[in-house]
Amino acid sequence: MTDESADESPKQPLSESQEQPTDESADDESAAETFSLADFHDASQEAGRPVLTAAAAARALEITQDEAREGLEALTAHGDVERLSVEPDPVVWYPSELEDLTDRERVVVFPKRREVIVDRPDQFTRAQLAQFAHLADGNGEQGYRYVLRAEDIWQAPHDTFEGLCRTMRQALGQRSEPLEEWVESQWDRAHQFRLTTHEDGYTVLEAKSPEVMGNVARQKLDEEHVHAPISDTEDWVREGAEAAIKRLLYEAGYPVQDHRELESGEDLSIDLEIELRGYQQTWIDRFAESGEGVFVGPPGSGKTVAAMGAMAHVGGETLVLVPSRDLVRQWADAVVEYTSLKPEQVGQYHGGRKEVRPVTIATYQIAGMDRHRSLFDDRQWGLVVFDECQHVPSDIYRRSTHLQSRHRLGLSASPIREDDRQTEIFTLVGPPIGTDWEALFEAGFVAEPELEIRYVPWGDDEQRNAYASADGRERYRIAAKNRGKVDDVRYLLSAHPDAKALVFVDYLEQGRDLAAALDVPFLSGETPHHERRRRLEEFRTNERDVLVLSRIGDEGIDLPTADLAIVASGLGGSRRQGTQRAGRTMRPAGGALVYVLATRGTREEDFARKQLQHLGRKGLTVREQTLEQTESESEEKGE
């Protein structure tokens, strides 16, 4: 049935209230209550166009056509939509704001989906939205799409629900009762349980009511977690079980407020000797409110400096945990450079040096070893910092989270995991604190790199035939090591002769071959630490312009002058790996370029496209280029 014939169908029977309206305005109010502007947008989304007939609205919202027509007429009377009669088409309605969308910010709320679409948002709106919603798509072309998730409400930086509501209404420019009802329900969930310290020194789990204690906590926890009940709303917690309790109740949908009176350790006066950016100070302020959190931002946004600001705020002895020995040294140097601390107050603890000092930087691996743990357990830390904290949920690294401290802080450019254990990051360390990437790009604090996926043809028939006869992971390995990529890497380096370039690979054999073809060093886990430091220093001081890196370059290597990244293989690994490798060029200086090479017509194409979609949702522009033949071949043929 066409829209036109649907509009001419017999009217549905009216309800008693519709048959005897008291007056026209009362009828409009009744219709408006059952058909809001948000409903209009929901129906418009379903229909895939901004104009609706009454029949289209009725189908999308599963109501009668008369109910849809009356609701649309009520919205017209309120000035929310415009009515237009078009021959030979039926009457259509469209949003009044459609006429001036190009001139101002527009916020559209979809309460049923708990989504907010914002077109041309200003910095204030985005800062407000970041306090209670997750930026799911920030490419700006179809507007910014925010999603309200339970964890966003649980972690909102507000002391009261009323304060959160004020922020929501400021950001949305309107009041959405269905959305606010859901937010209030999540806010209430986040305040049902808390951990406190009993006057005798042990930990107590408190519930807001006997019902929630009995129906939730005592169903999820057992003798491994609690000794015994103290009352209908209190349980005596076993020492060391706090993290497990927080994780289990979080997974059950009830985050636990941690109000324990933990020892803060010896006082340590720290002054920050670098000026903070506005958003860094905001991160620190939000950390100060809760005493824990994870700073989330792109590479180059200054998470390490912000962490030092948190150290200064805490004013206590600090343990910093990092994934590699190289990062230990970099952290130690940075603490001395950017704070008032002296070198003798900063210790390094790893395979080569074992110093425990007021500020100690150690690797996760060594902090988790039984023979070293007592050194860290015996000291009362005011703050533990978990750098690259996306590692924390892994079975090896999570042992380090058993270390007790008054405050916890994580740092990560991309706190996502392919095993879907990322929620454990926030239960073990703290809630996410960050600024959306697009805002940092626009403000000029971080340069937005240009990303291009280049689909490269096979370099020879031998590999093409091997790929055709292989299956599973072996096919990806063959495509990743396509020798045709060597020519394209050469071409890209020659096209950017003045660039400081990093070439990333996933396979040692491929890295050695590329390094030999380019006559440059290859740094991998097999490279001795002293040689690795020397090569990196050469790169920093402009003595060397090109390095080939294995996975050691994904995290923990500070390359602030890199302005060109070529990913020869590796984006098939994980979204986090894609973020780290592409993000190595994100620094305040502009003009950064990232090229991702994928063998044309193979599974590597899909892998690369999928992983870079994650960066596209953060606001980066991703181009695609299909190469018929490598540029070097074209030059040889004089084309």
Side-chain angles (χ1 to χ4, degrees):
M1 180 181 294
T2 66
D3 284 348
E4 183 174 0
S5 61
D7 273 346
E8 295 175 352
S9 62
K11 293 184 178 180
Q12 301 293 326
L14 297 177
S15 67
E16 184 177 344
S17 61
Q18 290 171 320
E19 290 176 335
Q20 298 176 344
T22 55
D23 56 52
E24 186 177 344
S25 62
D27 192 42
D28 283 348
E29 284 186 17
S30 175
E33 288 176 0
T34 58
F35 194 111
S36 66
L37 183 58
D39 291 324
F40 181 95
H41 288 303
D42 279 340
S44 177
Q45 183 86 1
E46 180 75 20
R49 58 181 183 174
V51 296
L52 291 175
T53 63
R59 283 195 300 271
L61 300 175
E62 298 182 351
I63 59 178
T64 69
Q65 191 170 313
D66 275 359
E67 288 173 337
R69 182 183 288 104
E70 289 176 8
L72 290 165
E73 294 288 6
L75 290 179
T76 304
H78 294 159
D80 292 327
V81 302
E82 300 293 330
R83 184 181 190 279
L84 181 65
S85 180
V86 184
E87 294 296 340
D89 291 328
V91 174
V92 297
W93 284 263
Y94 61 91
S96 302
E97 56 196 12
L98 195 64
E99 296 176 348
D100 59 348
L101 289 183
T102 58
D103 301 326
R104 62 182 177 87
E105 175 185 281
R106 183 175 72 110
V107 179
V108 181
V109 181
F110 298 93
K112 293 179 181 178
R113 299 203 305 269
R114 296 194 288 276
E115 289 187 1
V116 179
I117 308 296
V118 191
D119 190 34
R120 293 176 177 79
D122 59 28
Q123 290 296 326
F124 174 79
T125 299
R126 285 162 64 173
Q128 298 293 84
L129 283 165
Q131 295 185 42
F132 62 87
H134 167 69
L135 180 63
D137 190 350
N139 62 25
E141 295 179 3
Q142 301 297 324
Y144 294 80
R145 184 171 68 91
Y146 289 85
V147 179
L148 276 70
R149 307 170 302 180
E151 55 264 38
D152 300 315
I153 308 306
W154 298 345
Q155 298 149 5
H158 290 275
D159 294 327
T160 65
F161 172 68
E162 290 71 24
L164 175 57
C165 266
R166 282 195 296 273
T167 297
M168 287 179 58
R169 292 169 188 172
Q170 286 176 335
L172 304 180
Q174 59 186 280
R175 180 174 183 174
S176 173
E177 290 189 7
L179 195 60
E180 289 183 10
E181 287 175 3
W182 178 82
V183 168
E184 185 173 16
S185 71
Q186 296 304 320
W187 176 271
D188 188 56
R189 273 178 171 264
H191 294 80
Q192 292 294 322
F193 292 102
R194 67 175 188 161
L195 291 172
T196 62
T197 302
H198 192 271
E199 60 183 14
D200 292 333
Y202 58 84
T203 300
V204 175
L205 175 66
E206 294 182 358
K208 199 171 183 180
S209 69
E211 291 75 20
V212 75
M213 176 61 87
N215 295 332
V216 180
R218 289 175 183 163
Q219 298 295 321
K220 296 291 181 181
L221 308 178
D222 54 32
E223 62 273 8
E224 294 182 11
H225 308 106
V226 295
H227 287 288
I230 301 173
S231 70
D232 288 344
T233 59
E234 298 173 305
D235 277 358
W236 176 11
V237 174
R238 287 189 181 275
E239 185 176 356
E242 295 87 354
I245 289 172
K246 291 168 72 174
R247 178 176 57 81
L248 287 169
L249 293 182
Y250 187 100
E251 291 172 351
Y254 291 88
V256 178
Q257 303 288 314
D258 196 339
H259 293 170
R260 288 176 291 164
E261 296 175 3
L262 298 175
E263 296 291 341
S264 59
E266 296 293 328
D267 290 342
L268 181 65
S269 177
I270 304 175
D271 293 324
L272 199 60
E273 297 183 344
I274 183 174
E275 186 176 351
L276 293 169
R277 298 166 182 168
Y279 66 86
Q280 290 172 318
Q281 186 61 58
T282 300
W283 291 356
I284 295 167
D285 292 342
R286 289 184 60 182
F287 164 78
E289 290 176 2
S290 62
E292 59 182 15
V294 176
F295 289 167
V296 180
S301 57
K303 296 183 293 296
T304 301
V305 170
M308 293 179 203
M311 291 167 55
H313 166 77
V314 170
E317 297 192 344
T318 299
L319 173 65
V320 181
L321 298 176
V322 300
S324 70
R325 189 188 301 184
D326 288 319
L327 257 182
V328 172
R329 179 182 55 80
Q330 290 174 25
W331 257 95
D333 292 344
V335 169
V336 172
E337 179 179 359
Y338 296 125
T339 75
S340 57
L341 296 178
K342 306 299 182 186
E344 57 269 21
Q345 294 176 286
V346 182
Q348 300 182 39
Y349 202 100
H350 50 72
R353 297 171 63 173
K354 293 183 173 58
E355 307 157 342
V356 178
R357 294 178 180 171
V359 171
T360 301
I361 302 101
T363 60
Y364 284 103
Q365 295 92 329
I366 207 164
M369 293 179 181
D370 290 334
R371 65 179 182 273
H372 299 291
R373 276 184 58 83
S374 61
L375 291 171
F376 302 113
D377 282 333
D378 292 345
R379 200 163 191 130
Q380 294 177 345
W381 303 103
L383 172 67
V384 176
V385 178
F386 301 86
D387 198 5
E388 304 290 358
C389 66
Q390 64 273 3
H391 294 294
V392 164
S394 68
D395 295 333
I396 295 175
Y397 286 14
R398 72 182 297 132
R399 297 188 65 190
S400 63
T401 64
H402 297 162
L403 294 166
Q404 294 301 305
S405 67
R406 187 172 183 83
H407 302 283
R408 291 169 172 246
L409 175 65
L411 310 178
S412 182
S414 186
I416 54 175
R417 293 178 59 88
E418 303 309 306
D419 57 9
D420 293 326
R421 294 171 69 181
Q422 55 262 29
T423 57
E424 293 187 33
I425 298 170
F426 307 128
T427 59
L428 294 169
V429 181
I433 299 169
T435 304
D436 72 69
W437 291 30
E438 183 74 10
L440 300 182
F441 297 153
E442 289 184 0
F445 291 123
V446 181
E448 176 185 354
E450 297 179 32
L451 271 67
E452 180 175 293
I453 306 176
R454 296 170 66 82
Y455 302 117
V456 182
W458 288 104
D460 56 54
D461 291 337
E462 178 186 353
Q463 283 188 311
R464 181 191 292 111
N465 295 334
Y467 178 86
S469 60
D471 54 23
R473 187 68 184 174
E474 180 65 11
R475 299 192 97 193
Y476 175 75
R477 186 187 66 82
I478 295 171
K481 296 169 66 174
N482 171 17
R483 286 187 282 271
K485 293 180 180 180
V486 175
D487 288 332
D488 199 43
V489 171
R490 279 203 189 98
Y491 167 77
L492 292 172
L493 292 175
S494 66
H496 306 285
D498 299 324
K500 298 288 293 299
L502 303 175
V503 182
F504 293 96
V505 297
D506 236 18
Y507 298 95
L508 295 179
E509 181 185 354
Q510 182 188 27
R512 296 187 193 103
D513 290 345
L514 259 174
L518 301 173
D519 192 22
V520 300
F522 172 48
L523 304 186
S524 71
E526 297 178 349
T527 308
H529 285 282
H530 66 87
E531 183 180 346
R532 194 186 304 175
R533 286 197 298 270
R534 179 168 62 87
R535 296 301 191 187
L536 291 173
E537 188 59 28
E538 290 173 352
F539 190 86
R540 290 190 186 96
T541 57
N542 298 324
E543 296 177 43
R544 189 171 295 281
D545 294 331
V546 181
L547 290 176
V548 178
L549 300 173
S550 71
R551 291 186 180 185
I552 65 165
D554 292 347
E555 300 165 343
I557 294 181
D558 183 20
L559 299 167
T561 57
D563 48 18
L564 172 64
I566 302 173
V567 183
S569 64
L571 277 188
S574 68
R575 289 168 291 168
R576 177 187 56 76
Q577 189 179 52
T579 301
Q580 294 288 355
R581 292 189 169 183
R584 282 299 158 200
T585 61
M586 294 184 194
R587 295 296 186 268
L593 300 167
V594 179
Y595 293 102
V596 177
L597 311 187
T599 300
R600 195 177 69 211
T602 70
R603 293 177 61 198
E604 198 180 29
E605 273 196 16
D606 298 329
F607 276 126
R609 192 178 290 114
K610 177 183 175 183
Q611 306 309 354
L612 288 184
Q613 281 176 354
H614 174 65
L615 291 172
R617 287 193 292 270
K618 289 181 175 294
L620 277 69
T621 302
V622 181
R623 300 190 307 268
E624 297 183 51
Q625 176 73 26
T626 299
L627 309 183
E628 295 304 321
Q629 55 189 350
T630 60
E631 283 80 354
S632 58
E633 289 174 336
S634 298
E635 291 172 356
E636 290 173 4
K637 295 176 182 179
E639 296 178 2

